[in-house]
Amino acid sequence: MEKKRIAVIAGDGIGVEIMREALNVLKVVAPDTFVFEYYKAGGEALDAFGVPLPEETLEGCKQSDAVLLGSLGGPKWDGVPSHLRPEKGLLGLRGGLGLFCNLRPALLYPQLAEACPLKNELVEGGLDIMVVRELTGGIYFGERGREGDSAFDTERYSKAEVERIGRKAFEIADNRTKRLCSIDKANILISSQLWREVINALSKEYPEVEVTHMYVDNAAMQLVRNPRQFDTIVTNNIFGDILSDEAAQITGSIGMLPSASLGEGRVGMYEPIHGSAPDIAGKDIANPIAMILSAALMLRHSFGMELEARRIEDAVSSVLDQGYRTADIMSEGMTLVGTKEMGRRIAEAL
Ligand code: IPM
Ligand code: MG
């Protein structure tokens, strides 16, 4: 069997440490299946090549079968001009690979109920929310600039852009509990009015799926008031960025949540939703679970390896059952472990 080529971008901050653990887990769950090719992006690429996304990195990713990404950015590069910021490397990858659909599953592990900041009765029975975030449009990619004393960014969506992310979301909702909540700001933004029109038109093709609409401010409130009302959420790029951090925190820690970025093309990209956490980088305390679960999403979505994906997810769950916790999810009576030991325990549980 020909080996699958994985483009690996460990990136900045804790990226290197968490990536090492994810690759180890992949080697255990699927030996001899992958070849890993390493590329630079973000701050480390800026230091080495003067740009946050070298041509070689984007080309390498395009030629690969899937991309694994750790995290990009850090205060070291705060002073660089906006078009060279490490985050531009990430946007360049998302745009360059056409990854318009970002899946961010927010799952509360029952073992981590203690780490959830909400009252127990609000999350009893667990939480399982799928945030479907549009990833290559909106204000992240719109026209922007400075004019004299002002600055502007533009939120713009075409019907086609909303349709393709809408379709993905309807299909996902259809495979889950058939409840889809579309989140916008249609009381103010014209782009949101278009968004709502398109979602409503699409809903005729998916009569099984019950669609509701919610304004984003209300949604931010409802997520902490009664998170169990949500199943699948679909929203634009910026609202998805914000709401997925909120959803992550109610599941206990942002260190737990993976993501999958998919497009019409062949190559998907998989990354934790958290950032590079420069304050804890190099200290062997970061939680590698979001990165490891991102590798599981890669097996599932890029390679149809559902069995292996489940095995990783079960291994994570069993290590949590055994009481091992990194600092971000630590609670009384549990055993504190570092990045490496958490990774090793998960690999062992496999
Ligand atoms: C995320 C991150 C990125 C985003 C940053 C690092 C550009 O916050 O993936 O959620 O805003 O999309
Ligand atoms: Mg974010």
Side-chain angles (χ1 to χ4, degrees):
M1 191 183 71
E2 209 172 306
K3 291 194 182 178
K4 318 250 186 252
R5 294 170 61 187
I6 311 299
V8 177
I9 303 172
D12 309 315
I14 58 172
V16 182
E17 296 162 79
I18 58 174
M19 184 63 80
R20 190 184 302 127
E21 302 315 314
L23 298 184
N24 281 342
V25 163
L26 280 174
K27 286 173 198 159
V28 174
V29 81
D32 302 322
T33 311
F34 302 113
V35 279
F36 301 107
E37 290 161 352
Y38 298 85
Y39 295 98
K40 284 189 180 5
E44 57 161 9
L46 205 55
D47 289 348
F49 308 110
V51 287
L53 181 59
E55 194 52 43
E56 184 200 316
T57 297
L58 183 58
E59 262 321 296
C61 291
K62 282 185 179 164
Q63 302 307 322
S64 74
D65 293 306
V67 182
L68 277 178
L69 185 131
S71 55
L72 304 184
K76 179 177 174 197
W77 301 282
D78 272 353
V80 308
S82 116
H83 68 285
L84 287 178
R85 284 190 64 92
E87 292 82 355
K88 283 284 169 189
L90 186 52
L91 297 197
L93 280 166
R94 290 171 178 173
L97 297 169
L99 306 173
F100 66 89
C101 175
N102 186 214
L103 306 182
R104 300 191 157 190
L107 208 69
L108 175 70
Y109 284 79
Q111 303 95 317
L112 296 186
E114 283 283 298
C116 170
L118 301 185
K119 282 200 205 107
N120 209 358
E121 71 225 42
L122 291 178
V123 294
E124 239 157 36
L127 264 188
D128 181 356
I129 300 172
M130 177 65 88
V131 179
V132 182
R133 170 187 177 193
E134 200 292 326
L135 203 60
T136 52
I139 202 164
Y140 274 64
F141 287 85
E143 205 193 320
R144 67 181 94 239
R146 279 179 176 261
E147 280 167 0
D149 282 346
S150 343
F152 65 98
D153 301 272
T154 318
E155 173 81 357
R156 175 191 279 268
Y157 271 107
S158 69
K159 196 175 157 212
E161 282 175 305
V162 183
E163 239 168 41
R164 65 180 182 180
I165 187 71
R167 250 179 229 294
K168 288 268 189 192
F170 272 100
E171 277 155 23
I172 289 160
D174 199 27
N175 282 319
R176 291 169 50 97
T177 67
K178 304 193 188 294
R179 284 182 298 128
L180 178 64
C181 181
S182 173
I183 294 174
D184 61 34
K185 189 70 185 174
N187 49 349
I188 297 291
L189 304 179
I190 304 186
S191 53
S192 279
Q193 290 160 13
L194 174 83
W195 181 280
R196 208 176 263 224
E197 271 165 40
V198 174
I199 298 290
N200 278 333
L202 269 181
S203 76
K204 307 210 163 65
E205 295 176 38
Y206 301 88
E208 307 275 271
V209 178
E210 178 208 330
V211 189
T212 51
H213 300 275
M214 204 180 268
Y215 298 140
V216 63
D217 49 347
N218 185 28
M221 187 260 282
Q222 295 295 340
L223 263 172
V224 288
R225 197 187 72 91
N226 175 17
R228 270 197 314 236
Q229 70 186 287
F230 296 103
D231 181 76
T232 308
I233 286 174
V234 63
T235 192
N236 71 11
N237 205 340
I238 183 108
F239 298 161
D241 178 45
I242 299 165
L243 294 176
S244 61
D245 269 30
E246 192 186 354
Q249 185 56 52
I250 64 179
T251 70
S253 167
I254 195 165
M256 295 292 297
L257 259 62
S259 83
S261 303
L262 311 169
E264 261 133 25
R266 201 175 53 84
V267 185
M269 182 163 82
Y270 302 85
E271 55 171 315
I273 84 156
H274 61 68
S276 57
D279 52 323
I280 59 165
K283 297 184 177 160
D284 191 42
I285 54 180
N287 186 347
I289 292 182
M291 186 74 241
I292 291 171
L293 292 174
S294 297
L297 290 184
M298 176 185 84
L299 297 179
R300 171 172 298 130
H301 292 285
S302 281
F303 304 121
M305 296 168 71
E306 179 60 32
L307 187 76
E308 288 83 352
R310 285 265 168 95
R311 285 187 56 211
I312 294 179
E313 290 160 353
D314 290 347
V316 167
S317 195
S318 88
V319 169
L320 294 176
D321 277 337
Q322 293 159 26
Y324 296 106
R325 302 283 187 274
T326 44
D328 57 315
I329 50 174
M330 184 59 188
S331 61
E332 221 184 297
M334 300 294 137
T335 311
L336 184 65
V337 295
T339 312
K340 283 194 192 125
E341 186 168 355
M342 181 56 96
R344 187 176 59 76
R345 299 247 169 220
I346 293 169
E348 235 172 58
L350 283 166

